[in-house]
Amino acid sequence: MTTIDAMTWQDFEHYVAELCRRDGCTGVAVVGGSGDLAADILGSMPDGRRLVVQVKHYAPHRTVPSGDMQKFVGMAFNEHHADVALFVATCEYGKAARDLAVKHRIVALNRNLFGSWNSGAPLESLLPLSGTGGGVPHRRSARRRPKEAS
Protein backbone atom coordinates (compact mmCIF):
# COMPACT_ATOMS: atom_id res chain seq x y z
CA MET A 1 0.00 0.00 0.00
CA THR A 2 3.01 2.29 0.27
CA THR A 3 3.02 2.69 -3.52
CA ILE A 4 -0.71 3.40 -3.52
CA ASP A 5 -0.34 5.99 -0.76
CA ALA A 6 2.36 7.78 -2.78
CA MET A 7 0.09 8.17 -5.82
CA THR A 8 -1.74 11.38 -6.65
CA TRP A 9 -5.52 11.16 -6.52
CA GLN A 10 -5.56 11.31 -10.32
CA ASP A 11 -3.12 8.41 -10.63
CA PHE A 12 -5.17 6.45 -8.10
CA GLU A 13 -8.35 6.92 -10.17
CA HIS A 14 -6.54 5.55 -13.24
CA TYR A 15 -5.13 2.69 -11.19
CA VAL A 16 -8.60 1.69 -9.94
CA ALA A 17 -9.85 1.84 -13.55
CA GLU A 18 -7.06 -0.57 -14.51
CA LEU A 19 -8.12 -2.97 -11.73
CA CYS A 20 -11.66 -2.86 -13.15
CA ARG A 21 -10.30 -3.71 -16.61
CA ARG A 22 -8.13 -6.48 -15.15
CA ASP A 23 -11.28 -8.08 -13.78
CA GLY A 24 -13.10 -8.02 -17.11
CA CYS A 25 -15.00 -4.74 -16.92
CA THR A 26 -15.55 -3.09 -20.29
CA GLY A 27 -15.98 0.47 -21.49
CA VAL A 28 -14.11 1.68 -18.43
CA ALA A 29 -13.53 5.44 -18.49
CA VAL A 30 -12.10 7.78 -15.88
CA VAL A 31 -14.50 10.72 -15.72
CA GLY A 32 -13.51 12.23 -12.36
CA GLY A 33 -12.80 15.87 -11.88
CA SER A 34 -14.77 19.06 -11.51
CA GLY A 35 -18.42 18.46 -12.32
CA ASP A 36 -18.17 14.65 -12.25
CA LEU A 37 -21.43 14.35 -10.29
CA ALA A 38 -19.84 11.97 -7.77
CA ALA A 39 -18.60 9.46 -10.34
CA ASP A 40 -14.90 9.01 -10.98
CA ILE A 41 -15.09 5.89 -13.15
CA LEU A 42 -17.87 4.55 -15.36
CA GLY A 43 -18.02 1.21 -17.13
CA SER A 44 -19.74 -2.14 -17.32
CA MET A 45 -19.24 -5.31 -15.32
CA PRO A 46 -18.35 -8.40 -17.37
CA ASP A 47 -22.04 -9.42 -17.28
CA GLY A 48 -23.15 -6.02 -18.64
CA ARG A 49 -24.31 -4.37 -15.41
CA ARG A 50 -23.58 -0.63 -15.24
CA LEU A 51 -20.63 0.11 -12.91
CA VAL A 52 -20.22 3.49 -11.22
CA VAL A 53 -17.15 4.06 -9.04
CA GLN A 54 -16.30 6.81 -6.57
CA VAL A 55 -12.65 6.90 -5.49
CA LYS A 56 -11.22 8.66 -2.44
CA HIS A 57 -7.45 8.76 -2.06
CA TYR A 58 -7.28 9.87 1.55
CA ALA A 59 -4.46 9.50 4.06
CA PRO A 60 -4.70 6.19 5.95
CA HIS A 61 -5.49 7.93 9.26
CA ARG A 62 -8.57 9.71 7.85
CA THR A 63 -12.09 8.37 7.54
CA VAL A 64 -14.60 8.83 4.75
CA PRO A 65 -17.22 11.23 6.12
CA SER A 66 -20.94 10.84 5.78
CA GLY A 67 -21.15 13.74 3.32
CA ASP A 68 -18.97 11.94 0.77
CA MET A 69 -21.19 8.87 0.95
CA GLN A 70 -24.39 10.95 0.85
CA LYS A 71 -23.25 12.60 -2.36
CA PHE A 72 -22.41 9.25 -3.96
CA VAL A 73 -25.67 7.60 -2.83
CA GLY A 74 -27.61 10.51 -4.27
CA MET A 75 -25.94 10.38 -7.66
CA ALA A 76 -24.84 6.78 -8.33
CA PHE A 77 -28.29 5.37 -8.96
CA ASN A 78 -30.39 8.38 -9.96
CA GLU A 79 -27.92 10.28 -12.13
CA HIS A 80 -25.59 7.54 -13.37
CA HIS A 81 -28.05 4.60 -13.34
CA ALA A 82 -25.68 2.27 -11.51
CA ASP A 83 -26.40 -1.41 -11.19
CA VAL A 84 -23.21 -1.71 -9.17
CA ALA A 85 -22.15 1.30 -7.10
CA LEU A 86 -18.58 0.91 -5.85
CA PHE A 87 -16.90 3.30 -3.39
CA VAL A 88 -13.16 2.71 -3.06
CA ALA A 89 -11.17 4.40 -0.29
CA THR A 90 -7.58 4.26 0.93
CA CYS A 91 -8.81 4.64 4.51
CA GLU A 92 -11.69 3.51 6.70
CA TYR A 93 -15.29 4.71 6.63
CA GLY A 94 -16.88 6.71 9.41
CA LYS A 95 -19.83 4.98 11.07
CA ALA A 96 -22.45 7.18 9.40
CA ALA A 97 -20.85 6.67 5.96
CA ARG A 98 -20.67 2.91 6.53
CA ASP A 99 -24.32 2.78 7.65
CA LEU A 100 -25.40 4.66 4.52
CA ALA A 101 -23.42 2.27 2.33
CA VAL A 102 -25.17 -0.72 3.87
CA LYS A 103 -28.61 0.89 3.65
CA HIS A 104 -28.21 1.93 0.01
CA ARG A 105 -26.40 -1.11 -1.46
CA ILE A 106 -23.07 0.64 -1.96
CA VAL A 107 -20.11 -1.71 -2.21
CA ALA A 108 -17.73 0.18 0.08
CA LEU A 109 -14.15 -1.05 -0.07
CA ASN A 110 -12.03 0.22 2.80
CA ARG A 111 -8.23 0.22 2.85
CA ASN A 112 -7.93 -3.46 3.76
CA LEU A 113 -10.42 -4.69 1.18
CA PHE A 114 -8.89 -2.48 -1.46
CA GLY A 115 -5.58 -4.13 -0.54
CA SER A 116 -7.18 -7.52 -1.20
CA TRP A 117 -8.47 -6.36 -4.57
CA ASN A 118 -5.08 -4.87 -5.38
CA SER A 119 -3.43 -8.18 -4.45
CA GLY A 120 -5.53 -10.15 -6.92
CA ALA A 121 -8.96 -10.80 -5.39
CA PRO A 122 -11.43 -10.38 -8.26
CA LEU A 123 -13.87 -7.47 -8.02
CA GLU A 124 -16.80 -9.85 -8.44
CA SER A 125 -15.79 -11.64 -5.22
CA LEU A 126 -16.01 -8.35 -3.28
CA LEU A 127 -19.47 -7.29 -4.49
CA PRO A 128 -21.49 -9.42 -2.03
CA LEU A 129 -20.06 -7.32 0.81
CA SER A 130 -22.55 -4.60 -0.19
CA GLY A 131 -21.58 -1.89 2.27
CA THR A 132 -19.97 -4.04 4.92
CA GLY A 133 -16.69 -3.57 3.09
CA GLY A 134 -16.31 -0.43 5.14
CA GLY A 135 -15.52 -2.69 8.05
CA VAL A 136 -17.95 -4.07 10.53
CA PRO A 137 -17.56 -2.10 13.75
CA HIS A 138 -16.38 -4.04 16.74
CA ARG A 139 -19.15 -3.97 19.27
CA ARG A 140 -18.72 -4.46 22.93
CA SER A 141 -20.72 -7.39 24.07
CA ALA A 142 -23.88 -6.13 25.68
CA ARG A 143 -24.50 -7.01 29.26
CA ARG A 144 -27.21 -9.54 29.53
CA ARG A 145 -30.10 -8.42 31.57
CA PRO A 146 -31.66 -10.95 33.87
CA LYS A 147 -34.93 -12.30 32.56
CA GLU A 148 -37.91 -10.95 34.32
CA ALA A 149 -39.94 -13.45 36.25
CA SER A 150 -43.26 -14.29 34.65
Side-chain angles (χ1 to χ4, degrees):
M1 289 296 292
T2 304
T3 303
I4 300 298
D5 291 337
M7 290 180 178
T8 65
W9 63 267
Q10 296 97 331
D11 289 340
F12 186 61
E13 286 180 358
H14 286 276
Y15 187 76
V16 170
E18 283 304 314
L19 290 176
C20 292
R21 290 183 192 102
R22 177 200 77 188
D23 290 346
C25 296
T26 59
V28 176
V30 176
V31 297
S34 179
D36 64 14
L37 300 176
D40 294 319
I41 301 165
L42 300 174
S44 296
M45 296 295 294
D47 62 7
R49 290 177 292 165
R50 175 93 165 143
L51 174 67
V52 178
V53 184
Q54 175 62 242
V55 176
K56 291 297 180 188
H57 187 266
Y58 289 157
H61 68 274
R62 288 192 56 189
T63 58
V64 174
S66 175
D68 286 356
M69 188 62 72
Q70 289 174 36
K71 186 175 170 187
F72 187 56
V73 165
M75 300 305 277
F77 299 107
N78 293 324
E79 178 68 27
H80 299 292
H81 310 291
D83 296 309
V84 176
L86 177 65
F87 198 121
V88 179
T90 54
C91 60
E92 296 299 321
Y93 291 85
K95 182 185 180 326
R98 185 176 49 246
D99 290 348
L100 281 169
V102 170
K103 182 177 181 181
H104 294 283
R105 305 178 345 226
I106 304 297
V107 180
L109 299 185
N110 66 357
R111 183 177 184 82
N112 290 336
L113 288 169
F114 172 75
S116 295
W117 188 26
N118 186 44
S119 296
L123 177 58
E124 194 72 40
S125 73
L126 302 171
L127 297 183
L129 298 172
S130 190
T132 57
V136 177
H138 291 77
R139 293 195 171 106
R140 295 181 203 173
S141 54
R143 285 188 177 175
R144 295 183 184 218
R145 294 182 185 190
K147 290 184 181 179
E148 292 183 24
S150 306

